[in-house]
Amino acid sequence: MTSSTMSPLPSTRLPRIPSTKISAVISDVDGTLVTNDKTLTSRAQAAVAELHARGIMFSIISSRPPRGVRMLLEPLAITAPFGGFNGGVIVWPDLTIISEHLLMSEVVRRAIEMLTARGVDIWVFAGQDWLVRNPDGPCIGREERTVCFPPTVVADFGPALATAGKIVGVSQDFVRLARCERELRAALADQASVALSQPYYLDITHPLANKGVALTQFATLLGIPLAEIAVIGDGHNDVAMFERAGLSIAMGNASAEVQRVADLVTDRNSEDGFANAIERFILGGDRLKTDALGRGGVRAW
């Protein structure tokens, strides 16, 4: 993505030849690297270990707060910087901040007002804290199991307005949340990046807090050309990095829209799709053998 905000997913893409050299792999986490019950499978772990063995750098960019992916760093031997809040913060494995992009307080206030008016629950991530007003709201148990720390219940988000890294609209009404995505994207324009990270999570971050911008920063930090970086993901928020990477791989559980803008499509995250993609397209080189690429909605294998 070349603009600072997330644009609607394009309906068509011209075919392109995937990169012949891959020096780094950057992965989304939820819906991609881990299964739906947040398990890192032994095959996924082994695939990443083989990347390291072949001198291919591996890291992650997640919509989670950095604190919420710490449990993955040791099993995956991640020593490079990684991203949280869709790239809104880039940190070292010890959580030392390299860079961060915080939302303007007025944007936070307006987003909260709009989501509240539409009957959507709201989470605010500020610093290392996850703030909620409704302790019985949807998906809180799921998120707590995912990030391995509990939310802080507050009566008012006011004190966090100046330090918010991410606002999340949460609803089990997927149609309502998709409508909110369109409405908030239009209303906040170039003041925020707005995208669904899951059908039940609508992420609102700083305009520069998107995975495309973060990927460019990774390339600079690591001294690796974007053309030599492969990315893999499943959500609308992954499209920004698909557009900048040398090779993009969509999960089989990604929407048809997301699959259409990827170079290749792997299996679902419940079918070890991440490990399959690494084994076939990165380590095995099948990206160079396939005639039908993922762009245009054609499954590559």
Side-chain angles (χ1 to χ4, degrees), residues 189-300:
D190 59 355
Q191 297 178 306
S193 177
V194 181
L196 291 165
S197 58
Q198 298 293 336
Y200 40 84
Y201 290 158
L202 178 61
D203 293 349
I204 302 156
T205 54
H206 186 280
L208 295 179
N210 71 65
K211 294 186 181 184
V213 173
L215 190 70
T216 299
Q217 187 172 359
F218 272 116
T220 300
L221 287 168
L222 300 170
I224 297 173
L226 282 167
E228 295 180 16
I229 300 179
V231 297
I232 180 167
D234 73 303
H236 287 216
N237 61 334
D238 295 312
V239 171
M241 68 175 180
F242 284 8
E243 295 182 341
R244 298 193 184 199
L247 176 70
S248 58
I249 305 169
M251 298 296 293
N253 48 286
S255 69
E257 290 178 296
V258 172
Q259 291 188 22
R260 277 199 298 270
V261 296
D263 292 314
L264 299 164
V265 181
T266 184
D267 286 327
R268 303 176 66 85
N269 67 323
S270 59
E271 302 166 334
D272 253 327
F274 170 84
N276 288 337
I278 298 301
E279 292 164 2
R280 297 197 59 173
F281 298 142
I282 308 300
L283 302 174
D286 276 9
R287 69 185 182 279
L288 306 177
K289 302 174 185 177
T290 181
D291 294 324
L293 300 183
R295 292 183 185 271
V298 180
R299 183 175 293 272

Side-chain angles (χ1 to χ4, degrees), residues 146-163:
T146 296
V147 300
C148 297
F149 68 90
T152 299
V153 180
V154 297
D156 181 14
F157 289 131
L161 294 183
T163 59

Side-chain angles (χ1 to χ4, degrees), residues 82-157:
F82 69 94
F85 298 149
N86 295 322
V89 59
I90 305 295
V91 299
W92 291 106
D94 65 359
L95 303 189
T96 299
I97 295 174
I98 297 171
S99 68
E100 65 179 348
H101 301 289
L102 302 180
L103 285 159
M104 293 186 297
S105 58
E106 182 53 39
V107 173
V108 176
R109 185 177 294 106
R110 189 172 184 195
I112 290 173
E113 289 173 353
M114 292 183 68
L115 291 170
T116 300
R118 286 155 178 77
V120 172
D121 267 62
I122 300 162
W123 299 344
V124 174
F125 288 89
Q128 296 293 333
D129 296 324
W130 165 27
L131 308 177
V132 304
R133 292 184 301 197
N134 176 14
D136 300 316
C139 300
I140 285 181
R142 179 206 302 266
E143 186 70 5
E144 186 170 347
R145 290 189 297 273
T146 296
V147 300
C148 297
F149 68 90
T152 299
V153 180
V154 297
D156 181 14
F157 289 131

Side-chain angles (χ1 to χ4, degrees), residues 19-40:
S19 177
T20 57
K21 180 180 180 181
I22 298 299
S23 300
V25 176
I26 307 293
S27 178
D28 170 52
V29 175
D30 297 298
T32 301
L33 179 62
V34 298
T35 63
N36 292 335
D37 64 0
K38 310 305 177 183
T39 297
L40 178 68

